[in-house]
Amino acid sequence: GATMRTHTFVLSIALIGLLGCGDDESSGPGPVDNAGSACTAASQCYPNLPDGGVLQGGAAECLDKVSNGYCTHPCAADTECCAVDGECLSGHPQVCSPFTNSTVKYCLLSCEDAEVKAAGDADGNAYCSRWANASFGCRSSGGGSENRKVCMP
């Protein structure tokens, strides 16, 4: 009846309103997850963790070796990435890897072959651009023997 049509119309308008919102910066849509978010200070990272959520492996950090910063946190194993409610928002996997020859391992956005294939993307660069940030590509984490393929600017 009329009530159903009214509800459908209101819902449609609400969805159009949500889809219409977005920033038109040339950097693209921005990251879809906490890890990899641009930052200048660790306090800007992981803002929505419940109860001041404590990340497994260590406190949030802003990697300043990465252009525009890169939110992450230390880890000992892949399982410490996305271990806390509210930490990972996109459902796309992260890996725990040393970054640029550091002895510390960090949770980094993964673009390993299995994920790229599962998402149906042509290659790692297309995957990172689509799922992480328009300005990100797929590259080596620079972690020596524990090197992984990660999305970075």
Side-chain angles (χ1 to χ4, degrees):
T3 308
M4 184 64 188
R5 279 196 299 274
T6 302
H7 286 290
T8 304
F9 176 75
V10 170
L11 184 61
S12 298
I13 295 301
L15 284 172
I16 290 167
L18 287 173
L19 294 172
C21 294
D23 66 48
D24 295 327
E25 290 181 25
S26 59
S27 62
V32 292
D33 225 321
N34 286 307
S37 291
C39 54
T40 54
S43 59
Q44 298 170 322
C45 302
Y46 303 92
N48 302 318
L49 294 181
D51 305 322
V54 177
L55 296 159
Q56 287 191 19
E61 291 186 33
C62 177
L63 298 181
D64 57 8
K65 293 181 195 171
V66 178
S67 62
N68 297 319
Y70 190 103
C71 285
T72 184
H73 68 89
C75 55
D78 290 356
T79 53
E80 291 185 343
C81 304
C82 301
V84 177
D85 282 344
E87 175 182 351
C88 295
L89 310 172
S90 70
H92 292 281
Q94 296 179 18
V95 293
C96 182
S97 177
F99 176 64
T100 60
N101 301 322
S102 167
T103 55
V104 179
K105 292 182 182 181
Y106 294 100
C107 290
L108 305 171
L109 299 168
S110 175
C111 57
E112 294 186 326
D113 297 341
E115 283 96 55
V116 173
K117 188 175 179 185
D121 288 302
D123 58 36
N125 290 328
Y127 176 89
C128 291
S129 177
R130 179 173 162 203
W131 298 110
N133 186 303
S135 65
F136 283 15
C138 184
R139 68 177 183 83
S140 158
S141 62
S145 63
E146 295 185 81
N147 194 30
R148 305 289 288 272
K149 291 169 83 174
V150 296
C151 296
M152 286 268 173

